[in-house]
Amino acid sequence: MKLFVDTADLGEIEALVPLGIIDGVTTNPSLLAKVGNDPRGVLKRICELVKGPVSAEVVETDCDGMVREGRELAAIDSHIVVKVPFGKAGVQACHVLANEGVRVNVTLIFSASQALLAAKVGAAFVSPFVGRLDDIGTPGMDLIRTIVEIFENFEFSTEVLVASTRGPMHIIESARLGADVCTCPPKVIDALFNHPLTDIGLERFLADWAKAQQVVG
Ligand code: E4P
């Protein structure tokens, strides 16, 4: 399963890339607004750092506007994946852009029917938001199971990109269900590393080693 980082913060990305575990980046208008700088310059720099798929979302709301903006975003770098929000305009824009060879991530997916429609028009990725579903008392991971099953039935090449992840269990469950990608905020990626027994174990190994050195010395 591929791991993307869900941030537009260059410092966070620079810290994670050397670990070798990051396959791509997802951004959205909220994340780009948070970092403040020129969004297109930030996206270009992210592409240089990661050299994997980097999702950049359109903010136009009609099909023609989304297609125009999508083309502009795709021209920033070959790693850009144009993100369009689900809806009739987004689906139609995905259809046009995908036919031109632009990779599209259809975002704000909250139902299997939405994912199916996005796959039918050639989306490279669909982004179901598991955390936001959990927030309203609907199990987000049930949606991932259903989408994975549907895509397998018809051998869609569209990748299931699990978004709005809130903790390690979203990532583990996504891997068990066969999702293609999980995108995680940096703090969720940090949490994937942690286990108290690893810390205790290392402390003990080092203490035993230090004791043995005293005996030798
Ligand atoms: C990524 O593509 C999504 O925009 C992001 O995961 C949404 O996460 P949130 O629900 O925590 O805002």
Side-chain angles (χ1 to χ4, degrees):
M1 187 179 71
K2 284 171 265 191
L3 201 57
F4 290 1
V5 59
D6 195 25
T7 183
D9 184 310
L10 292 174
E12 290 178 338
I13 295 168
E14 275 165 356
L16 284 166
V17 165
L19 299 176
I21 57 169
I22 300 301
D23 302 295
V25 177
T26 50
T27 69
N28 62 36
S30 308
L31 292 170
L32 280 162
K34 207 160 93 181
V35 301
N37 296 330
D38 160 45
R40 294 191 182 192
V42 172
L43 287 165
K44 179 71 187 168
R45 183 67 191 129
I46 294 174
C47 291
E48 288 164 0
L49 286 170
V50 178
K51 299 184 179 67
V54 174
S55 287
E57 189 162 341
V58 300
V59 289
E60 293 286 346
T61 53
D62 61 18
C63 174
D64 288 348
M66 286 183 192
V67 168
R68 193 174 51 250
E69 195 185 355
R71 287 177 186 141
E72 286 166 13
L73 289 168
I76 293 173
D77 191 283
S78 61
H79 291 104
I80 291 285
V81 174
V82 174
K83 217 178 184 189
V84 302
F86 184 83
K88 285 184 179 162
V91 165
Q92 196 181 337
C94 176
H95 179 58
V96 174
L97 289 166
N99 275 331
E100 292 176 5
V102 174
R103 287 182 298 168
V104 180
N105 174 0
V106 179
T107 191
L108 289 170
I109 295 284
F110 291 98
S111 75
S113 59
Q114 294 176 332
L116 176 62
L117 296 176
K120 280 182 68 69
V121 290
F125 300 96
V126 288
S127 291
F129 279 29
V130 292
R132 293 193 197 183
L133 279 171
D134 290 352
D135 290 345
I136 59 158
T138 306
M141 295 316 297
D142 286 358
L143 175 59
I144 302 307
R145 184 178 296 105
T146 309
I147 297 174
V148 168
E149 186 186 348
I150 291 171
F151 284 11
E152 278 173 5
N153 284 346
F154 298 101
E155 296 178 0
F156 282 123
S157 59
T158 305
E159 296 190 46
V160 181
L161 193 171
V162 181
S164 184
T165 56
R166 300 281 159 79
M169 286 316 294
H170 278 148
I171 288 71
I172 301 308
E173 273 303 297
S174 298
R176 289 183 66 188
L177 293 171
D180 302 280
V181 192
C182 253
T183 190
C184 317
K187 67 173 188 308
V188 173
I189 293 179
D190 280 348
L192 297 176
F193 279 87
N194 298 336
H195 199 291
L197 290 178
T198 305
D199 301 338
I200 293 167
L202 179 60
E203 216 173 283
R204 199 173 296 160
F205 285 151
L206 294 177
D208 288 346
W209 184 256
K211 240 185 279 168
Q213 297 309 298
Q214 280 169 6
V215 172
V216 173

